[in-house]
């Protein structure tokens, strides 16, 4: 898969960057003060306690642009396992709301971002879409191979600090 992502830099833009930590987001970016981190992580641990591990599969390659409109992403859309992620999201959203933070999108499209680039206009978005289309063709076999990716951990990242919560 790394070869395909490197090829995106040629097809899409020399500014295309690989996403190092592959993940499915369950929150929008948000800020907490240092003294709130422990309480947030503890509330999240309590909320997801007993939520079992599950598998996900991917169905296609898509493009996304962030809320600010300044970053574009090439991503794999989650197919199988979407409902399991949605159940986990419900628990995460409840914690976010109790902590005074915004819940995730009302109609989420769960995905794993593979590569990103800064976008400034329509031309760069079109290049991103062309790269996505090429990657979808190049990775058809790999997408099927990833059809049973096990989700067993929830990871909270605050700056350079990571907290791992094991599901199950």
């Amino acid at each position: 898969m790394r070869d395909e992502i490197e090829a995106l830099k040629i097809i899409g833009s020399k500014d295309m960057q690989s996403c190092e930590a592959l993940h499915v987001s369950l929150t929008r970016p948000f800020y907490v003060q240092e003294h709130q981190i422990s309480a947030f992580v503890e509330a999240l641990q309590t909320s997801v306690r007993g939520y079992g591990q599950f598998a996900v599969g991917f169905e296609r390659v898509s493009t996304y642009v962030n809320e600010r409109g300044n970053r574009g992403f090439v991503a794999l859309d989650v197919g199988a396992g979407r409902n399991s992620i949605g159940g986990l999201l419900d628990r995460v959203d409840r914690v976010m709301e109790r902590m005074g933070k915004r819940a995730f999108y009302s109609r989420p499209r769960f995905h794993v971002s593979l590569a990103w680039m800064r976008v400034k206009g329509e031309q760069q978005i079109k290049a991103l879409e062309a790269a996505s289309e090429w990657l979808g063709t190049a990775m058809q076999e790999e997408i099927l191979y990833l059809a049973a990716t096990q989700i067993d951990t929830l990871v909270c990242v605050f700056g350079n600090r990571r907290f791992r919560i094991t599901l199950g």
Side-chain angles (χ1 to χ4, degrees), residues 8-161:
L8 284 176
K9 292 180 181 179
I10 297 166
I11 293 165
S13 166
K14 66 183 182 337
D15 299 323
M16 184 88 56
Q17 301 293 317
S18 298
C19 294
E20 296 302 321
L22 301 180
H23 65 280
V24 177
S25 294
L26 297 178
T27 66
R28 303 171 195 238
F30 67 96
Y31 297 97
V32 294
Q33 294 180 338
E34 182 71 26
H35 70 276
Q36 298 172 311
I37 293 174
S38 293
F40 181 87
V41 173
E42 287 173 20
L44 199 52
Q45 287 171 324
T46 299
S47 183
V48 302
R49 187 172 290 129
Y51 201 89
Q53 299 178 10
F54 56 93
V56 298
F58 302 96
E59 58 186 12
R60 70 181 156 271
V61 177
S62 294
T63 55
Y64 292 87
V65 176
N66 67 355
E67 285 183 302
R68 289 184 180 170
N70 63 354
R71 276 194 189 187
F73 298 87
V74 175
L76 290 176
D77 288 342
V78 172
R82 185 182 301 122
N83 291 339
S84 296
I85 295 174
L88 190 56
L89 175 63
D90 290 342
R91 294 176 182 217
V92 172
D93 276 350
R94 286 195 295 267
V95 172
M96 294 293 286
E97 289 166 355
R98 280 198 312 264
M99 301 295 279
K101 306 298 178 190
R102 281 183 9 179
F104 204 52
Y105 304 98
S106 60
R107 298 178 69 182
R109 290 180 54 203
F110 299 117
H111 61 276
V112 173
S113 295
L114 301 174
W116 68 275
M117 63 182 277
R118 295 194 189 285
V119 292
K120 296 176 188 154
E122 200 60 37
Q123 185 175 8
Q124 286 178 315
I125 291 173
K126 285 182 181 179
L128 188 69
E129 289 169 349
S132 174
E133 185 175 323
W134 176 86
L135 186 64
T137 302
M139 285 188 60
Q140 280 180 338
E141 223 171 275
E142 284 91 344
I143 291 171
L144 293 175
Y145 176 74
L146 295 171
T149 302
Q150 189 70 14
I151 305 297
D152 59 5
T153 307
L154 191 63
V155 179
C156 298
V157 179
F158 297 102
N160 61 357
R161 295 173 63 189

